[in-house]
Amino acid sequence: MASTAATNAAPGATFTVLFLLSLFFTLALFHAVEARPPFACDPVDVGNRNFVFCRTESPMKDRVRDLIGRLTLPEKVKLIGNSAVPVPRLGIQGYEWWSEALHGMSNVGPGTRFGGKFPGATSFPQVITTAASFNESLWEEIGRVVSDEARAMYNGGMAGLTYWSPNVNIFRDPRWGRGQETPGEDPLLTGKYAASYVRGLQGDGGDRLKVAACCKHYTAYDLDNWNGVDRFHFNAKVSKQDMEDTFDVPFRACVVEGKVASVMCSYNQLNGIPTCANPLILRNTIRGEWHLNGYIVSDCDSVRVFYDSQHYTSTPEEAAADAIRAGLDLDCGAFLGVHTEDAIRRGLLKEADVDNALANTLAVQMRLGMFDGEPSAQFYGHLGPQDVCSSAHQELAVEAARQGLVLLKNRGPTLPLSRVRHLTVAVIGPNSDVTVTMIGNYAGIACGYTTPLQGIGRYARTIHQQGCADVACKTDRLFGPAIVTARQADAVVLVMGLDQSIEAEFRDRSVLLLPGRQQELVSKVAVASKGPTVLVLMSGGPVDVSFAKRDPRIAAILWAGYPGQAGGIAIADVLFGTANPGGKLPMTWYPQDYLNNLPMTNMAMRPSKGYPGRTYRFYQGPVVYPFGHGLSYTKFVHTITAAPTAVAIPLTGRRANTTISGKAIRVTHARCSQLSILLQLDIRNMGPEDGSQTLMVFSLPPAAQWAPHKQLVAFEKVHLPAGATQRVSISIHVCKHLSVVDRNGIRRIPLGQHGLHIGSLKHSISLHAATLGVVKS
């Protein structure tokens, strides 16, 4: 019947039906185009399918040049801010550059949204906790999982592909509120973390990128708001020596070894020049010396900050010109989009300078495949909701937390607790049943949470009291019930510490002690407890718990950092021995007295009269717990099986007679390419438990005023079953890791006896100059 009716219809009616059908499909196509991902070159769009910039087979430089050549100046300047404006006539939609993935997909930046098919994402431990694992393969695997989830959310229209993570600033001062975001205080450790995590995020597709990572904040940024000084007004005065051997190290590793796609400049000034307007560090160092293949982005509104707050330039146009000429490619903010055209009109800047900036940002987008068509047709187009919060990803979050927990004290030993003797456990403290606290800052919405109380409840019957209303713990109002509970249990676990109300972005600490009356609660509960008392600490920065370290009634101390969405599982697994702790502190824990007369604004790393110096490399005073400290439930024994005792440093021919100065050889005058020494060690697990051990190799260079006290030069994570022995080979590059930096910022190799320390083992290597390289064993 329908067929007959259509056949007998009047010609006009048929035309109307066809017109409506045509209109329907046109609108459908229009909406499909509107819904397509940013910067996708639609192959069915006659208007742009033949553009060179859409041809994936064309060389990248040709594609970039073609696209820039089609843009007008007003269009160009609207593309150099984080909220890039659409160019409809070229089929280019808007794009939000700002997304974050510090330790999982974050909703801090406007580029990522949760909801619909993506209600949450896997939230791994905060970086400071994961760094404590000293496990490069773990860091890379976390990056891979995070980028899987990032691509899945991008394919679903809920995220971008450019992530301003990781934070690889040195945790120089223990009060810094953002220290939790970093891998700690050691340059080598931080650089290894940076390169590993970036490789995981960006994938192994060669010049193609899975997502684009960003190492931030370059440079000498480690103060947010202390004693009336904030990051927007701070001028970091840093010597050439400290720049070369401390602050530059992780960023160089991130760019050179990790091949990161982006670097972010910071808010502060460096020796009187805003970092985002400094051509010496942006154009010369990052792009020139380190050969960044990518873009340089400002911290958010930092160009406006150096004009409005620092008054570095007289006009906004001068600020825009200074930033772009210095090497800045992208502004997190709208400042460049507003003032760049006027800067060009006034002759302060050339349009070619803007073209150069765009060439760097557009090339990254093309490497991401953002001009290659629909995501479903791309290499990672298969990733979707099923790849976010998967069981494998969530299990990795548990494992990462287990590996990052650090056992600081274990008297007796008391831990692990017994499932037979400790049937009832009192769980006390303001962090005992928290969720969001466990994921720290720059986090998103977790897949789910397991609190410490819930985790311990898997092993024993629990009795719960907070003891303090929150971590501020301003009163003892809740002490009484907590003390009563401690008397009733076979064991007590106190979960104390900090949260984002104490340490966070724009919130530096003034003291290192536990907040409020927490210490009082811990001590009173320990006195009342009829069984062992265990102190578990959540914090990003170090805490002076000297009282607990000394108190024999506090049997064990476990640092959990901010352990991520599954932190409660990991804590309980370690407490009851299902997991053997193997984490090591990535930063020194200082006594409160360390802060006496030590302003955060003093950037010097080395000690001087009345000044104690910074980090384990230069500070030699008393500590609560040292860098690298961490106990295990088993015992490891190391033996050196092979190591050289002398190494000859080959010199470049024309330098052979001129480079030895002050008993040190300038690195640039040595033949460094193959100059490595190989250590072979046997490590044996002598205890009753399977476990992991981190082999840390420290170098003690010959005495010199400009040399560090000691320096981490290599580390290796080894897992051993009980009773097993494994041989481990560690390569140490002489020029990179046995060199030191003189006062002029020049890296030199000291001649003479270098000590290598691995735990209690000590080995000496003599370095001497030679015209031909010889290694003697």
Side-chain angles (χ1 to χ4, degrees):
M1 298 247 332
S3 206
T4 304
T7 302
N8 295 331
T14 302
F15 175 80
T16 302
V17 170
L18 291 174
F19 174 76
L20 290 173
L21 286 172
S22 174
L23 180 62
F24 171 81
F25 286 117
T26 300
L27 289 172
L29 178 61
F30 173 79
H31 285 295
V33 171
E34 284 296 299
R36 70 181 178 218
F39 296 99
C41 288
D42 192 338
V44 302
D45 187 339
V46 178
N48 70 10
R49 66 184 179 188
N50 293 320
F51 291 156
V52 173
F53 73 80
C54 289
R55 297 177 188 167
T56 57
E57 70 278 7
S58 297
M60 187 76 71
K61 289 183 178 179
D62 292 347
R63 297 178 69 192
V64 171
R65 188 184 304 114
D66 177 71
L67 178 50
I68 292 175
R70 296 178 187 277
L71 296 168
T72 66
L73 178 59
E75 289 169 339
K76 291 174 183 178
V77 299
K78 297 302 181 184
L79 293 177
I80 57 176
N82 66 286
S83 298
V85 174
V87 185
R89 66 184 185 84
L90 297 178
I92 298 175
Q93 294 193 8
Y95 177 68
E96 178 53 62
W97 285 82
W98 181 7
S99 290
E100 303 277 357
L102 183 67
H103 52 109
M105 291 294 288
S106 169
N107 55 4
V108 171
T112 302
R113 306 184 309 279
F114 290 100
K117 295 180 180 179
F118 302 94
T122 310
S123 190
F124 290 93
Q126 181 60 287
V127 175
I128 196 70
T129 307
T130 310
S133 71
F134 282 80
N135 188 341
E136 293 179 71
S137 62
L138 174 67
W139 303 332
E140 186 166 343
E141 179 64 10
I142 291 173
R144 186 195 65 77
V145 165
V146 172
S147 60
D148 275 355
E149 299 197 352
R151 269 283 176 173
M153 293 183 68
Y154 168 75
N155 293 343
M158 302 296 281
L161 290 177
T162 47
Y163 291 87
W164 295 344
S165 304
N167 181 341
V168 297
N169 292 118
I170 295 295
F171 197 174
R172 175 189 63 97
D173 190 290
R175 293 164 288 195
W176 189 31
R178 300 187 72 176
Q180 60 182 289
E181 301 173 31
T182 78
E185 70 182 37
D186 180 74
L188 176 78
L189 170 64
T190 305
K192 294 282 189 183
Y193 178 91
S196 299
Y197 189 62
V198 166
R199 280 193 293 265
L201 285 176
Q202 296 191 164
D204 54 4
D207 199 45
R208 287 287 182 169
L209 296 169
K210 188 179 181 185
V211 304
C214 173
C215 282
K216 63 184 186 184
H217 314 75
Y218 191 69
T219 183
Y221 167 51
D222 50 17
L223 176 151
D224 268 67
N225 191 3
W226 175 83
N227 202 30
V229 180
D230 66 43
R231 61 187 181 179
F232 304 127
H233 299 85
F234 179 50
N235 177 23
K237 297 177 182 178
V238 183
S239 69
K240 292 180 180 179
Q241 186 177 37
D242 286 339
M243 278 296 296
E244 172 62 29
D245 80 349
T246 297
F247 297 107
D248 271 357
V249 174
F251 287 94
R252 182 189 294 110
C254 189
V255 175
V256 176
E257 298 168 25
K259 301 187 185 306
V260 75
S262 176
V263 173
M264 176 182 286
C265 51
S266 54
Y267 289 112
N268 56 283
Q269 294 187 355
L270 175 68
N271 298 323
I273 304 174
T275 64
C276 292
N278 190 334
L280 295 178
I281 65 173
L282 302 189
R283 192 174 297 283
N284 293 8
T285 299
I286 297 175
R287 194 168 298 283
E289 181 183 342
W290 300 342
H291 306 293
L292 172 72
N293 181 17
Y295 69 97
I296 299 174
V297 60
S298 72
D299 206 340
C300 293
D301 276 337
S302 61
V303 181
R304 179 189 59 79
V305 163
F306 76 68
Y307 166 66
D308 282 346
S309 299
Q310 298 175 7
H311 306 295
Y312 183 72
T313 63
S314 301
T315 67
E317 293 80 14
E318 289 172 336
D322 281 0
I324 294 173
R325 286 203 312 269
L328 188 71
D329 302 309
L330 186 71
D331 178 20
C332 179
F335 193 90
L336 292 186
V338 172
H339 299 292
T340 298
E341 266 194 273
D342 287 341
I344 293 173
R345 289 193 188 98
R346 292 179 55 185
L348 301 172
L349 193 67
K350 297 178 181 178
E351 186 171 350
D353 296 321
V354 177
D355 291 349
N356 290 335
L358 278 175
N360 293 322
T361 58
L362 294 175
V364 167
Q365 290 177 322
M366 289 182 182
R367 292 169 65 196
L368 288 163
M370 296 174 72
F371 290 84
D372 294 355
E374 297 292 336
S376 59
Q378 297 175 24
F379 189 73
Y380 301 104
H382 64 284
L383 295 170
Q386 73 279 0
D387 299 295
V388 181
C389 289
S390 67
S391 57
H393 292 184
Q394 295 196 63
E395 178 52 39
L396 184 63
V398 178
E399 180 59 24
R402 290 190 191 110
Q403 291 195 31
L405 300 187
V406 181
L407 183 61
L408 300 175
K409 174 184 177 180
N410 192 16
R411 186 171 179 268
T414 296
L415 294 179
L417 297 175
S418 169
R419 299 184 70 171
V420 175
R421 297 191 308 276
H422 304 121
L423 299 175
T424 301
V425 177
V427 184
I428 298 169
N431 283 337
S432 59
D433 197 28
V434 293
T435 54
V436 175
T437 295
M438 294 194 300
I439 61 176
N441 70 352
Y442 277 79
I445 298 175
C447 309
Y449 297 98
T450 303
T451 71
L453 176 64
Q454 291 169 334
I456 294 168
R458 297 182 175 196
Y459 288 92
R461 186 175 74 88
T462 58
I463 315 171
H464 179 235
Q465 289 291 335
Q466 275 189 249
C468 300
D470 51 36
V471 294
C473 200
K474 294 181 178 179
T475 74
D476 63 355
R477 182 174 58 86
L478 301 178
F479 283 16
I483 292 169
V484 170
T485 297
R487 294 191 182 115
Q488 298 171 347
D490 300 315
V492 174
V493 176
L494 284 147
V495 191
M496 314 297 287
L498 316 178
D499 64 14
Q500 302 306 304
S501 69
I502 304 295
E503 54 177 359
E505 184 169 9
F506 216 67
R507 184 175 291 122
D508 298 327
R509 288 190 285 165
S510 58
V511 298
L512 301 181
L513 303 172
L514 284 170
R517 303 179 70 171
Q518 282 195 41
Q519 178 174 329
E520 182 184 350
L521 173 65
V522 171
S523 296
K524 288 185 175 179
V525 165
V527 169
S529 176
K530 69 175 185 179
T533 299
V534 178
L535 174 61
V536 177
L537 295 167
M538 284 190 199
S539 71
V543 183
D544 182 355
V545 288
S546 301
F547 79 97
K549 180 182 179 181
R550 293 189 300 263
D551 191 339
R553 292 165 298 193
I554 300 173
I557 305 174
L558 182 70
W559 178 67
Y562 294 122
Q565 65 176 46
I569 297 175
I571 289 169
D573 286 351
V574 168
L575 291 178
F576 284 89
T578 301
N580 189 348
K584 305 291 184 183
L585 287 179
M587 71 295 200
T588 304
W589 283 37
Y590 302 93
Q592 174 63 26
D593 290 348
Y594 172 73
L595 302 183
N596 292 344
N597 302 314
L598 182 67
M600 283 189 73
T601 50
N602 190 326
M603 300 295 292
M605 299 299 297
R606 289 159 172 79
S608 58
K609 185 176 180 181
Y611 181 75
R614 304 278 189 175
T615 77
Y616 80 92
R617 296 165 62 225
F618 302 106
Y619 170 70
Q620 297 187 53
V623 300
V624 180
Y625 290 109
F627 172 89
H629 176 71
L631 306 176
S632 172
Y633 294 155
T634 192
K635 181 181 180 182
F636 297 96
V637 175
H638 315 101
T639 305
I640 297 176
T641 59
T645 57
V647 175
I649 311 298
L651 306 179
T652 57
R654 63 189 179 87
R655 300 287 188 177
N657 298 318
T658 61
T659 58
I660 302 174
S661 174
K663 297 184 178 180
I665 298 172
R666 191 165 178 163
V667 163
T668 54
H669 298 168
R671 295 177 181 172
C672 292
S673 58
Q674 303 297 320
L675 191 56
S676 294
I677 60 175
L678 185 67
L679 300 181
Q680 289 188 330
L681 302 99
D682 281 351
I683 176 170
R684 184 176 181 186
N685 184 347
M686 301 287 289
E689 305 287 341
D690 297 352
S692 294
Q693 173 73 328
T694 298
L695 289 172
M696 293 185 185
V697 182
F698 291 93
S699 166
L700 281 69
Q705 288 184 345
W706 31 273
H709 164 59
K710 67 176 182 176
Q711 171 74 53
L712 183 69
V713 295
F715 60 88
E716 189 77 28
K717 190 79 169 183
V718 183
H719 181 80
L720 283 174
T725 301
Q726 181 175 331
R727 178 154 295 179
V728 179
S729 296
I730 296 177
S731 179
I732 300 172
H733 194 285
V734 173
C735 292
K736 288 182 181 178
H737 299 133
L738 297 186
S739 60
V740 296
V741 179
D742 69 16
R743 293 187 183 90
N744 296 314
I746 298 172
R747 189 169 288 277
R748 301 180 184 273
I749 305 168
L751 302 179
Q753 295 294 318
H754 288 246
L756 297 180
H757 289 192
I758 307 104
S760 60
L761 294 178
K762 297 180 180 180
H763 180 75
S764 182
I765 298 177
S766 175
L767 302 186
H768 61 276
T771 54
L772 296 175
V774 179
V775 177
K776 300 177 181 179
S777 59

